[in-house]
Amino acid sequence: MFIGREQELNTLNKLYHSDRFEFAVIYGRRRVGKTALISEFTKDKDTIFFTGVETNAKQNLDNFSRCIMEFGTGIAADFSFASFQAALEYVFELAKTKRIVLVIDEYPYVARASKSLASTLQLLIDKNKDSSKLFLILCGSSMSYMEDHVLAYKAPLYGRRTAQLKISPFDFFEACLYFTRFSGIDKALAYGIVGGTPQYLMQINDSLSIEENIKNTHLNPTSSIFEEPNNLLKQEVREPAIYNAVVTAIATGCSKMNEISNKIDEDTSVCATYIKNLITLGIVKKESPYGEKSSRKTIYSIEDNMFRFWYRFVPENTSIISRGATDLAYKRIAPEFPSYMGGVFEEICKQYLWKLLLEDQCAVNFSDLGRWWGTNPKTRTQEEIDIMGTDKDSALFAECKWTNEKVDLGVLETLVERSNLFNYKKKHFYLFAKTGFTKGCMDKAAEMGNVTLVSYDEMLKA
């Protein structure tokens, strides 16, 4: 079953119907659904679909030749072109009279083994682009390779692409499409456990409870998710042990560069390089207080929920998990799960606000959203605002509460008080609640007129 990606499919189909040469670069982290997207797009089109493997140039050329022969003759002939240039010239020739899609999936594997491939593609694109109906798609999971060797200014293929699609994990509302049998609360919990990566979402069984799903995935040594963080780092980086240490440090509370550096006993300059790569992979995110660019206040956190949950709960329980004491491990996790979900709920609320903005239903036409934290100059105490967004002379301030108690008037009053640290002519307040609001809070919100109260149930219906 194929879910979501309507915007990406629309982009690819629009390019396809141009009836001229097109060259799309599709990239994104492993397991994010790139191949599934391309397969859905090409299912009713004339397509040569070649997937590179981590081997030498000759083996990849043989495999490529076989894919071309199967397309051209319908027979998997025991034939191999003399070179990638000869094979690609043949494909360009085939595409002179009809639309053909050529997909080279896992392109980095092929290009690393055949150093001249990028230059060959450059040569043939320049030679044939005005007369060819070929739709070339290069796809890759190695984010650094695709950005440095395909998209970068100095790369041979720079300037030849007609589109690029960076495929990201689904947001919460898209991820919910996988969970038709879960209750609303369980949908949020499932998203907190595995995030929006399709391959991880498919590991969740919405016929079982969240507890059973956690036991079957993160707490099960034989599950694919149990080994996934380590396996993914091994595939993506050269020194997975150090990267693992960095992610562990962040997941266990080290949010500043010097704290991470001290925790793993490495120089900050070394840590900065590792963190930059983890940000590129979509595993770690970098934050500064909203509206500020001070590196002094920069903090780091885990962006991907599957990694966030895994590193938060699995390493400290590895010994008992490996002994099959799944129930005991879950009992240790369960009390901390609600506080863990607080950060997940904040992210869901941000996604909801973006959804409102794109549907022209948000009270403030913000350009970005983020957290704010800093010192109140009057009280000299640290203050924090869960979500803040601005547009010229307008600002929105939001508080998110993932608790079983209804949000009361005090939460609204505190948010209003903190907003006074900022000078905007127009202010709008959003309160997000897991279980609703007290009468006092609702009455005050109605009286103020610039307050929107949003329950989690309402968010699900949007």
Side-chain angles (χ1 to χ4, degrees), residues 250 253-256 285-293 297-302 308 342-347 349-350 353-354 368-374 382-390 396-400 415 418 422:
I250 296 172
C254 299
S255 59
K256 297 180 179 178
K285 65 180 176 181
K286 174 182 177 180
E287 287 183 283
S288 294
Y290 183 87
E292 299 182 27
K293 295 183 179 178
K297 291 185 177 180
T298 296
I299 62 171
Y300 301 92
S301 58
I302 309 300
R308 189 164 168 254
V344 175
F345 186 53
E346 283 182 26
E347 185 57 37
C349 295
K350 282 183 191 175
L353 286 169
W354 277 110
D368 199 7
L369 292 174
R371 276 197 304 147
W372 180 86
W373 63 93
Q382 285 293 306
E383 307 278 16
E384 182 175 333
I385 298 171
D386 288 344
I387 304 174
M388 184 174 171
T390 59
L396 73 79
F397 303 88
E399 188 74 14
C400 314
L415 183 61
R418 289 173 179 172
F422 303 89

Side-chain angles (χ1 to χ4, degrees), residues 312-313 328-341:
R312 174 65 186 83
F313 296 116
L328 177 58
Y330 183 79
K331 283 181 182 178
R332 292 185 177 185
I333 291 172
E336 300 181 56
F337 203 11
S339 62
Y340 167 86
M341 281 301 298

Side-chain angles (χ1 to χ4, degrees), residues 380-439:
R380 297 184 183 276
T381 57
Q382 285 293 306
E383 307 278 16
E384 182 175 333
I385 298 171
D386 288 344
I387 304 174
M388 184 174 171
T390 59
D391 171 39
K392 297 179 182 178
D393 60 349
S394 302
L396 73 79
F397 303 88
E399 188 74 14
C400 314
K401 294 296 182 183
W402 186 261
T403 64
N404 291 328
E405 294 79 32
K406 290 185 176 182
V407 173
D408 62 18
L409 176 58
V411 174
L412 176 56
E413 290 176 336
T414 299
L415 183 61
V416 171
E417 184 180 333
R418 289 173 179 172
S419 77
N420 292 330
L421 295 169
F422 303 89
N423 296 315
Y424 288 95
K425 291 181 180 178
K426 297 178 182 178
K427 296 179 182 180
H428 197 92
F429 303 95
Y430 281 89
L431 292 187
F432 295 96
K434 176 186 177 184
T435 48
F437 307 89
T438 63
K439 186 177 184 302

Side-chain angles (χ1 to χ4, degrees), residues 145-164:
Y145 190 94
M146 296 300 287
E147 290 179 346
D148 295 343
H149 298 278
V150 179
L151 301 173
Y153 179 75
K154 293 183 178 180
L157 291 171
Y158 180 80
R160 273 76 184 174
R161 69 185 183 275
T162 55
Q164 66 186 63

Side-chain angles (χ1 to χ4, degrees), residues 159-420:
R160 273 76 184 174
R161 69 185 183 275
T162 55
Q164 66 186 63
L165 285 79
K166 183 176 182 180
I167 309 302
S168 300
F170 289 131
D171 68 15
F172 167 70
F173 300 97
E174 294 168 314
C176 283
L177 298 174
Y178 281 85
F179 308 133
T180 58
R181 290 187 287 264
F182 273 157
S183 67
I185 296 297
D186 282 353
K187 287 178 181 179
L189 298 177
Y191 182 70
I193 294 166
V194 294
T197 300
Q199 193 65 38
Y200 307 153
L201 289 165
M202 291 170 65
Q203 307 306 309
I204 298 296
N205 184 344
D206 62 3
S207 295
L208 303 177
S209 68
I210 290 298
E211 177 179 342
E212 289 173 301
N213 273 291
I214 292 174
K215 290 177 178 178
N216 290 341
T217 54
H218 289 275
L219 306 185
N220 178 6
T222 65
S223 77
S224 59
I225 280 186
F226 184 80
E227 292 293 341
E228 176 64 7
N230 287 325
N231 287 340
L232 191 140
L233 288 176
K234 287 175 184 176
Q235 291 172 331
E236 294 287 353
V237 300
R238 293 179 181 176
E239 299 172 290
I242 299 179
Y243 282 93
N244 191 57
V246 171
V247 179
T248 301
I250 296 172
T252 52
C254 299
S255 59
K256 297 180 179 178
M257 184 66 76
N258 65 320
E259 294 173 345
I260 300 166
S261 172
N262 291 334
K263 183 75 173 179
I264 70 169
D265 196 24
E266 292 282 356
D267 291 341
T268 54
S269 59
V270 174
C271 280
T273 300
Y274 292 126
I275 289 173
K276 180 183 177 183
N277 292 336
L278 288 166
I279 290 171
T280 300
L281 288 172
I283 295 171
V284 168
K285 65 180 176 181
K286 174 182 177 180
E287 287 183 283
S288 294
Y290 183 87
E292 299 182 27
K293 295 183 179 178
S294 170
S295 59
R296 186 172 57 86
K297 291 185 177 180
T298 296
I299 62 171
Y300 301 92
S301 58
I302 309 300
E303 180 167 20
D304 183 276
N305 283 346
M306 192 280 289
F307 274 76
R308 189 164 168 254
F309 187 91
W310 195 96
Y311 279 95
R312 174 65 186 83
F313 296 116
V314 173
E316 65 183 28
N317 291 299
T318 298
S319 296
I320 59 175
I321 293 170
S322 63
R323 286 168 171 76
T326 306
D327 291 342
L328 177 58
Y330 183 79
K331 283 181 182 178
R332 292 185 177 185
I333 291 172
E336 300 181 56
F337 203 11
S339 62
Y340 167 86
M341 281 301 298
V344 175
F345 186 53
E346 283 182 26
E347 185 57 37
I348 292 173
C349 295
K350 282 183 191 175
Q351 294 173 11
Y352 176 78
L353 286 169
W354 277 110
K355 198 170 187 290
L356 290 184
L357 180 74
L358 297 176
E359 294 170 355
D360 198 26
Q361 294 180 12
C362 190
V364 175
N365 188 29
F366 60 85
S367 56
D368 199 7
L369 292 174
R371 276 197 304 147
W372 180 86
W373 63 93
T375 305
N376 185 325
K378 293 182 180 179
T379 63
R380 297 184 183 276
T381 57
Q382 285 293 306
E383 307 278 16
E384 182 175 333
I385 298 171
D386 288 344
I387 304 174
M388 184 174 171
T390 59
D391 171 39
K392 297 179 182 178
D393 60 349
S394 302
L396 73 79
F397 303 88
E399 188 74 14
C400 314
K401 294 296 182 183
W402 186 261
T403 64
N404 291 328
E405 294 79 32
K406 290 185 176 182
V407 173
D408 62 18
L409 176 58
V411 174
L412 176 56
E413 290 176 336
T414 299
L415 183 61
V416 171
E417 184 180 333
R418 289 173 179 172
S419 77
N420 292 330

